[in-house]
Amino acid sequence: MKVKQIAFLLILFLSSCSPASKQPVSLPSEPFLVIAHRGASAYAPAHTFPSYELAIDMGAHYIELDLQRTKDGKLIVLHNDSIELNGNEMEIEEITSDTLGAFKPAEEFNQPSNQFASQRFASLRVPSLEQVLREFGDQTNYYIEIKSPERYPGIEQQLIDQLDGHHLLNREDPLPKVIIQSFSSDSLKKVHELSPSTPLIQLYSFKEKADLPTSKLKRVTRYASGIGVNSMAVTEHLVKTVHQSGLAIHPFTVNDPEHAAALISMGVDGVFTDKPDLILHLLSQEYEQD
Ligand code: G3P
Ligand code: CA
C-alpha cells in the first residue's frame, strides 16, 4: 500500500475515534422536565441557597444555574455579567471573589411590594459553583448555562473539570445529572468535544414566533440534544419540527398555568419555571385525568 493511502486510512480511523464525531446523547422522553429557573426564584432570591433548596424540596427535576467568572478565576452563579456595588457598575470579570463578597443578591428581591421578601435573605451572598456542587452533590440535577463564553476563555474546560471532580459526568442515571445550555453554539461545540456524553441545549430567543428551519436544526443535532426557546415564540409547528429532527425542546420561562398547559399540549419536553410547585401541581392534575 502506498504511503498516501496508508495516511488517508489512518486519518479516517483517527477521525472516527475522536470525541467530536460522537453523536449527542438523547434525553429521555419522560418525565416532563420541571427546571427550576435560578431555583424556585419566585419565592426566594434567584441563584441563592434558599432558592435552590426550595426547588429541590418541591421536587423540581433540575436546578438552573447561570455561570459567570470572577477576575481571580472562580466560577460563580449569577445571571448578570455585572453588578452595582456602592453605586458603581462593576463587571464580574473585573472584580475578585472577595469584592463580590460585599454584594447582596437579595436586595432586588426584598422589595416591600414582594410578598415573599424576608429579612432572612438579607445576609445571602452570591454562591460559587463549587459551593453549590458541594452543598447539593448528587441529590439534585444541574442545568447549567454558560452565560458569556466570549468573556471567559477556557470556561468550557474549567466547567467540565469541576463537574468531573464532583463525579457528575459520565454516569448511568435515569436523568443526566448535568445538562449544559448556552446561546453560544461555539461554546456548546467545545463542550461537546470535551464531554460528548453530556447533553447540551442550544438556546434561542425570538421577538416573534420561532423560525427554525429543519436544515438549521439538523446542524444543531451534531452537538446538542435539544433546544431552549423563549416560551412566547413556541408554536406547535416548531415542536413538531424539533421532534422530527430528534431534538428535545424546553421553553423558558413559564410561570402561568394556562400558558404551561398550552405548551404541554403542544408536546414540549419540559419547561423552565420560577414556580416549580405550580408546574408540578399542573402535571399531577394532568396525570389524574389520564
Ligand atoms: O436558560 C434559559 C433561560 O434561563 C435563558 O434566559 O436570561 O433567564 O438566563 P435567562
Ligand atoms: Ca439561564
Side-chain angles (χ1 to χ4, degrees):
M1 210 180 280
K2 287 182 183 162
V3 175
K4 269 188 183 170
Q5 282 175 311
I6 294 171
F8 174 73
L9 288 172
L10 192 63
I11 289 167
L12 206 64
F13 173 71
L14 288 174
S15 65
S16 72
C17 295
S18 85
S21 70
K22 283 201 182 168
Q23 278 299 303
V25 293
S26 293
L27 286 168
S29 55
E30 297 283 337
F32 181 93
L33 295 185
V34 178
I35 306 150
H37 181 244
R38 315 181 194 176
S41 57
Y43 313 116
H47 294 312
T48 64
F49 282 106
S51 183
Y52 289 135
E53 280 159 8
L54 202 50
I56 295 166
D57 288 349
M58 287 174 173
H61 299 100
Y62 283 86
I63 56 171
E64 196 237 2
L65 288 73
D66 292 323
L67 288 190
Q68 309 287 347
R69 189 168 72 191
T70 57
K71 191 177 179 182
D72 51 332
K74 288 216 171 77
L75 294 182
I76 56 125
V77 183
L78 185 69
H79 180 263
N80 294 353
D81 49 24
S82 65
I83 53 168
E84 195 183 310
L85 199 54
N86 305 323
N88 299 315
E89 184 83 1
M90 297 180 177
E91 304 293 315
I92 301 298
E93 64 189 310
E94 288 169 6
I95 61 172
T96 64
S97 36
D98 270 359
T99 304
L100 182 66
F103 178 68
K104 297 177 178 173
E107 273 181 3
E108 195 184 332
F109 185 89
N110 269 352
Q111 298 299 313
S113 58
N114 185 355
Q115 63 168 310
F116 299 106
S118 165
Q119 265 314 297
R120 76 189 171 94
F121 298 143
S123 60
L124 292 171
R125 293 295 185 270
V126 173
S128 66
L129 174 65
E130 190 59 24
Q131 286 172 323
V132 174
L133 298 180
R134 273 197 201 147
E135 179 68 22
F136 300 116
D138 63 3
Q139 66 169 289
T140 187
N141 301 314
Y142 304 90
Y143 204 123
I144 302 174
E145 182 174 354
I146 301 180
K147 208 72 188 141
S148 305
E150 62 291 344
R151 285 174 175 250
Y152 309 122
I155 190 170
E156 296 84 8
Q157 181 76 63
Q158 184 177 4
L159 173 60
I160 292 299
D161 288 348
Q162 211 163 332
L163 294 168
D164 212 20
H166 285 268
H167 310 291
L168 293 169
L169 304 178
N170 301 309
R171 297 164 56 116
E172 299 288 332
D173 299 292
L175 281 180
K177 277 279 144 213
V178 175
I179 296 176
I180 296 177
Q181 48 165 341
S182 185
F183 282 98
S184 164
S185 59
D186 286 346
S187 185
L188 290 179
K189 286 172 191 170
K190 284 181 197 166
V191 176
H192 183 59
E193 282 187 28
L194 294 166
S195 182
S197 66
T198 301
L200 308 180
I201 298 291
Q202 175 69 61
L203 297 175
Y204 293 100
S205 185
F206 296 92
K207 287 204 171 71
E208 307 291 335
K209 294 301 175 193
D211 178 24
L212 283 170
T214 305
S215 54
K216 193 165 184 174
L217 291 169
K218 279 290 168 211
R219 288 198 290 279
V220 173
T221 62
R222 293 180 196 153
Y223 59 90
S225 306
I227 66 168
V229 182
N230 55 312
S231 63
M232 299 312 285
V234 174
T235 61
E236 202 164 347
H237 174 70
L238 175 75
V239 177
K240 198 172 163 196
T241 317
V242 169
H243 285 163
Q244 280 169 347
S245 302
L247 295 162
I249 176 166
H250 300 154
F252 59 86
T253 301
V254 187
N255 295 324
D256 173 66
E258 282 182 16
H259 187 39
L263 290 163
I264 290 168
S265 67
M266 284 182 207
V268 305
D269 303 287
V271 291
F272 294 80
T273 178
D274 302 331
K275 300 178 174 179
D277 56 340
L278 187 148
I279 304 295
L280 286 160
H281 179 65
L282 186 69
L283 289 169
S284 69
Q285 285 180 321
E286 295 236 332
Y287 283 121
E288 271 172 27
Q289 284 166 13
D290 285 347

